Amino acid sequence: MKAAKAKPRKIATASSVKTRTGAGTASGAASAQTGRAAKPPNRAARAAQRREAIIAAGLDEFTARGFAATRLDDVARRAGVAKGTIYLHFKDKEALFQELVRTALVPLIGNLAAAPAAGGSVREILERFAEAFVREIAETKRGDIVRLIVAEGARFPSLADFYFREVVSRGLAAMRKLIESGIARGEINNERLAEFPQIVVAPALVAVMWQGLFGRYAPLDAVAMLKVHLDLIFGERRVS
């Protein structure tokens, strides 16, 4: 008798593992609960997934190569889509970068616009902002977006214009409003600080630059540094 031929083994790929452990788990749970097979993602859901993949790939490419050297061909390859798919979502490389700024940085600025809660203080808002900034920006790839703007903004004025409009101007306006609130509540003594809200946010930029350039040589406790800076503005906290 001839020996039975062994069936070829399938090699597990990243996508197959993801299907089994990610979406497959969710689908299985849904079908187990309802007794019906889960429906595949609809067209809108698939388009949203591709858009997210393109943005994530764009972040990787921009931070690795810089704006000038990044090619949409490489973004498409990293995202696992055809280059033409990118143009269904973004008209060009600059539009993709702008979306990165909107999704990665703008939401954090919105947190500054919150008024102090009852019994809260302006200082507490700024402390929470400092901690979130370090956790979500300075210590992640998002910080590379800020560094990229600093490095290449002069060569690409449209990027600098967009960043100023979407991030800097909004951040300064929210910071000035908080400072004025702190002055009115008696938390801040120097009224001229409202003229220069850049002073309050300057250490956050120092943290981003330091972590990118010198963090491997001399790690910076950015949260502690920002709190010392707030001590200089509000006065040292009294421990009861």
Side-chain angles (χ1 to χ4, degrees):
M1 294 178 63
K2 292 184 179 180
K5 292 184 179 179
K7 294 183 178 180
R9 295 175 60 188
K10 292 184 178 179
I11 299 174
T13 63
S15 59
S16 64
V17 172
K18 183 177 180 181
T19 301
R20 292 197 301 270
T21 59
T25 302
S27 301
S31 59
Q33 292 174 0
T34 63
R36 291 175 295 182
K39 294 181 179 179
N42 59 29
R43 182 177 298 179
R46 291 195 300 271
Q49 290 171 355
R50 285 193 291 268
R51 181 183 177 88
E52 290 177 4
I54 292 167
I55 292 173
L59 176 60
D60 289 338
E61 288 295 321
F62 283 124
T63 55
R65 304 174 185 271
F67 182 81
T70 292
R71 303 185 311 153
L72 289 183
D73 300 81
D74 297 324
V75 174
R77 189 177 301 109
R78 187 183 287 267
V81 301
K83 183 179 178 181
T85 302
I86 294 180
Y87 291 111
L88 297 177
H89 300 275
F90 307 101
K91 69 175 184 178
D92 53 25
K93 181 170 71 172
E94 185 170 325
L96 173 57
F97 184 81
Q98 289 176 352
E99 185 62 16
L100 271 177
V101 172
R102 287 195 190 95
T103 56
L105 302 179
V106 171
L108 186 63
I109 300 302
N111 296 338
L112 282 176
S121 67
V122 170
R123 177 173 183 146
E124 289 172 351
I125 290 178
L126 291 178
E127 286 181 345
R128 288 196 297 271
F129 172 77
E131 291 171 357
F133 185 90
V134 172
R135 182 178 64 253
E136 299 176 19
I137 306 296
E139 295 180 347
T140 71
K141 282 188 175 182
R142 294 176 179 180
D144 289 329
I145 299 176
V146 180
R147 289 186 282 270
L148 190 151
I149 288 290
V150 173
E152 301 196 46
R155 295 175 58 199
F156 301 96
S158 60
L159 294 184
D161 291 345
F162 176 82
Y163 188 79
F164 181 84
R165 185 171 64 253
E166 295 292 323
V167 178
V168 176
S169 62
R170 292 183 181 185
L172 290 180
M175 187 64 72
R176 182 176 286 110
K177 186 176 180 181
L178 273 177
I179 293 170
E180 290 171 347
S181 178
I183 293 170
R185 293 158 63 99
E187 291 185 59
I188 298 174
N189 293 323
N190 192 335
E191 297 183 2
R192 293 207 64 193
L193 187 61
E195 300 175 35
F196 305 102
Q198 295 92 336
I199 292 174
V200 181
V201 298
L205 295 179
V206 170
V208 169
M209 296 299 114
W210 186 277
Q211 297 293 66
L213 294 173
F214 312 119
R216 67 182 120 171
Y217 309 115
L220 176 68
D221 187 340
V223 171
M225 180 186 72
L226 290 166
K227 288 185 177 180
V228 169
H229 182 63
L230 293 178
D231 282 342
L232 298 176
I233 295 172
F234 291 90
E236 292 187 37
R237 280 189 180 278
R238 295 182 179 178
V239 180
S240 56

